[in-house]
Amino acid sequence: MGAFYSRILGVRRGRNAVGHSEHRSSANGGVVEHRSNGTCLPYDTRQYFSPLCPIRKLSDELILRVFSFLDMVSLCRCAQVCKDWNILALDGSNWQNMDLFDFQTAIEGVVVVHMSQRCGGFLRVLSLRHCLSVEDDALIMFARNCPNIEHLVLRKCIRITDRTVHSLSDNCSHLKHLDLHMCRSISNRSCRYLSAGCKQLEHLDVSNCPRITADGIRALTLGCKCLRTLILEYCQEMTDVAMETIALHCDSLLKLNIRHCSAVTDAGILTITRHCHELEKLNISGCDQLTDASLRHLGTGCPHLRVFEAAECSQFTDSGFLSLTTGCRNLEKMDLEECVMITDVTLQHLANHCLHLQTLLLSHCERISDQGITSLVSGGYSSLQVVELDNCPLVSDHSLEVLRDCSSLSRIDVFDCQQISRYGINRLRVSRPDIKVQAYFAPSTPTQQVPPTSPPSCRCCALFPHRR
């Protein structure tokens, strides 16, 4: 498979040295070849068609238009049909968006280099996620050959280092989206490179990059002031200083993910809410130092919040969620898994203020009961689509009966809910077959088979057995 795509994406005979892509158009009955470097030369592609072939009647522009709707695999297959289709299928204009995830085990550096030579300046979007064999040298060549790249995913490309980012900074000034998730060799140096050369950057994911610290984030935000999405998940070195830097220089931020950045405290959240008033999505799951003070700050400073994920924030209580729901009335998704201090009162706050709520995750919230679920959906206005109630011991079949009335509900999770019965689930499935119910019941313990006991006997019975 790797050799096949390497051959298809390799440089074909007749291309110029730097691999510029070509585009051809018919003019005065002939065909003119237009290259991205500005040169033109006549070329008659009809020599490859049989006089009886109906494809002869289609212009090159029309065939290119048809090819523009094909996926990558289909284009590679078309390239093997004949010489003319090879030229048209591999035209750079057809390769503006490429996702090589399905071929991750086969993609090596040489394929990336050939692909970049083939696509040249046409390529806008490329995903190399999970392509574990790709290294710096190939991506350095890629950056030079594809200067117009805007969306680049290098997720789990574990062999790349700061050298790749340096080349992107030098050559790809139009880059807007960069995913470096789990590229563990990336350091603060990459942040400085991006700040200097990729000032249009809007989305950056450096989650699970342990060498990124607050100093790197400070350097990044000084140059990349257009950031809308910043994902710092599992960056253990993120502190309140990093939050202050983000708040001061990226006040147009829409999405912030600091999941399991356990050093962040209420002070860091306060600085975010004072400046990032347009924030729509926030993930603070696993930030166990946060208290109700953070919820009060968010309710006051981030009124446009739509997605709030706070799993494992064990210090949040009903009082804090009153402030949050009062100020953030556009909430659509809330992840409160393992927020062990909340009770049915929080669900009452949601029912009173968050009428657009669609997804609610309450797994391991052991104080939630049927009363809270009832208050949540009372009035018939609930827009709930997904509810997760795993390991909620006080939730019973009555909650299933109540949730049945949510017309938009599509999924309920009730794993390990001791008071949920098979009967209750079957009854829900009969009345609402459109709802997917996910549950698990521990297998019943089989009764122990006791071997039959023989009637008592004495020694004489053994010596002289009774004959019937």
Side-chain angles (χ1 to χ4, degrees):
M1 182 67 74
F4 169 73
Y5 285 99
S6 178
R7 184 173 66 254
I8 288 295
L9 295 175
V11 181
R12 71 172 179 266
R13 188 182 308 170
R15 292 176 62 87
N16 55 18
V18 295
H20 287 296
S21 300
E22 303 165 359
H23 176 70
R24 300 169 304 142
S25 60
S26 58
N28 299 325
V31 178
V32 177
E33 191 174 282
H34 296 277
R35 300 194 177 194
S36 59
N37 64 350
T39 63
C40 300
L41 57 112
Y43 186 75
D44 185 7
T45 60
R46 298 173 188 263
Q47 61 181 310
Y48 296 114
F49 291 127
S50 166
L52 301 179
C53 181
I55 300 298
R56 270 181 69 98
K57 300 178 181 180
L58 299 180
S59 66
D60 289 340
E61 292 90 343
L62 184 56
I63 297 176
L64 275 174
R65 178 63 175 166
V66 173
F67 284 173
S68 69
F69 293 98
L70 300 181
D71 58 34
M72 188 177 68
V73 174
S74 300
L75 283 171
C76 288
R77 289 171 178 166
C78 289
Q80 291 187 309
V81 171
C82 63
K83 293 181 179 179
D84 190 67
W85 275 31
N86 179 276
I87 295 171
L88 293 173
L90 298 183
D91 188 274
S93 61
N94 292 324
W95 299 81
Q96 299 183 39
N97 188 330
M98 297 181 63
D99 188 346
L100 301 179
F101 174 72
D102 292 336
F103 320 106
Q104 53 183 290
T105 57
I107 298 300
E108 297 180 353
V110 63
V111 178
V112 175
V113 173
H114 287 167
M115 175 269 300
S116 67
Q117 292 173 337
R118 174 72 62 187
C119 300
F122 284 105
L123 190 62
R124 297 292 188 276
V125 179
L126 174 63
S127 175
L128 295 173
R129 56 195 175 118
H130 292 253
C131 294
L132 304 181
S133 299
V134 176
E135 299 181 344
D136 287 328
D137 292 338
L139 288 171
I140 289 172
M141 290 298 299
F142 162 82
R144 293 172 182 171
N145 292 331
C146 302
N148 295 322
I149 190 73
E150 296 178 0
H151 185 118
L152 181 59
V153 178
L154 301 176
R155 194 177 189 87
K156 291 190 178 180
C157 293
I158 57 177
R159 298 191 179 187
I160 69 171
T161 68
D162 295 327
R163 292 178 58 215
T164 290
V165 180
H166 192 185
S167 185
L168 292 172
S169 173
D170 289 342
N171 299 281
C172 305
S173 60
H174 302 290
L175 191 63
K176 296 181 180 179
H177 181 115
L178 181 60
D179 188 342
L180 297 172
H181 170 77
M182 208 172 284
C183 297
R184 296 184 177 275
S185 296
I186 297 297
S187 70
N188 290 338
R189 187 176 300 176
S190 289
C191 293
R192 290 192 286 271
Y193 292 148
L194 292 172
S195 179
C198 300
K199 297 185 179 298
Q200 298 185 39
L201 197 64
E202 297 178 358
H203 177 112
L204 178 64
D205 185 346
V206 289
S207 55
N208 281 277
C209 295
R211 299 178 65 185
I212 300 290
T213 68
D215 291 336
I217 297 301
R218 182 186 301 110
L220 173 75
T221 55
L222 287 175
C224 300
K225 298 182 181 296
C226 298
L227 277 174
R228 299 291 183 271
T229 298
L230 185 56
I231 303 177
L232 305 172
E233 187 174 325
Y234 283 99
C235 290
Q236 300 291 343
E237 299 299 322
M238 290 301 112
T239 63
D240 293 338
V241 174
M243 297 300 104
E244 182 178 5
T245 302
I246 294 169
L248 292 176
H249 302 289
C250 302
D251 54 2
S252 298
L253 201 65
L254 299 178
K255 178 180 178 180
L256 177 63
N257 185 338
I258 53 173
R259 181 170 178 248
H260 282 282
C261 295
S262 53
V264 176
T265 69
D266 294 329
I269 300 300
L270 174 60
T271 57
I272 293 292
T273 59
R274 283 179 174 173
H275 297 86
C276 302
H277 301 300
E278 302 299 319
L279 196 64
E280 296 180 356
K281 299 180 180 180
L282 178 63
N283 189 337
I284 55 175
S285 298
C287 297
D288 51 14
Q289 294 194 53
L290 301 183
T291 68
D292 285 343
S294 291
L295 298 181
R296 288 192 290 271
H297 298 326
L298 290 168
T300 303
C302 299
H304 302 292
L305 202 62
R306 294 187 297 107
V307 176
F308 181 63
E309 299 175 81
E312 304 175 54
C313 292
S314 57
Q315 298 191 59
F316 289 167
T317 69
D318 298 328
S319 175
F321 281 107
L322 172 61
S323 302
L324 179 71
T325 55
T326 302
C328 304
R329 295 175 177 264
N330 296 319
L331 283 169
E332 298 175 1
K333 176 183 178 180
M334 291 189 70
D335 182 357
L336 306 182
E337 182 175 350
E338 293 191 45
C339 290
V340 294
M341 299 296 291
I342 65 172
T343 68
D344 294 333
V345 176
T346 290
L347 300 190
Q348 184 65 58
H349 297 329
L350 291 174
N352 293 337
H353 305 295
C354 301
L355 307 185
H356 305 290
L357 194 64
Q358 299 175 9
T359 301
L360 181 60
L361 312 183
L362 296 170
S363 300
H364 297 274
C365 294
E366 299 181 352
R367 300 187 180 188
I368 298 297
S369 70
D370 293 335
Q371 181 180 354
I373 301 298
T374 302
S375 63
L376 183 66
V377 298
S378 62
Y381 57 80
S382 176
S383 57
L384 278 176
Q385 297 177 8
V386 176
V387 179
E388 293 186 5
L389 297 169
D390 304 334
N391 286 280
C392 292
L394 302 181
V395 173
S396 70
D397 289 345
H398 178 71
S399 290
L400 298 183
E401 292 292 322
V402 172
L403 290 169
R404 183 180 59 181
D405 297 329
C406 294
S407 58
S408 57
L409 195 64
S410 61
R411 196 188 91 210
I412 302 176
D413 288 3
V414 286
F415 291 99
D416 296 314
C417 292
Q418 294 89 338
Q419 296 194 52
I420 298 289
S421 67
R422 297 179 191 271
Y423 173 78
I425 292 176
N426 291 334
R427 186 173 178 180
L428 175 64
R429 286 172 173 166
V430 170
S431 60
R432 288 290 304 276
D434 57 312
I435 297 179
K436 181 179 180 180
V437 182
Q438 299 188 137
Y440 172 78
F441 295 95
S444 57
T445 304
T447 57
Q448 186 175 3
Q449 298 293 332
V450 180
T453 58
S454 57
S457 60
C458 59
R459 179 174 177 78
C460 63
C461 291
L463 294 174
F464 306 100
H466 176 68
R467 294 183 180 180
R468 295 181 181 179

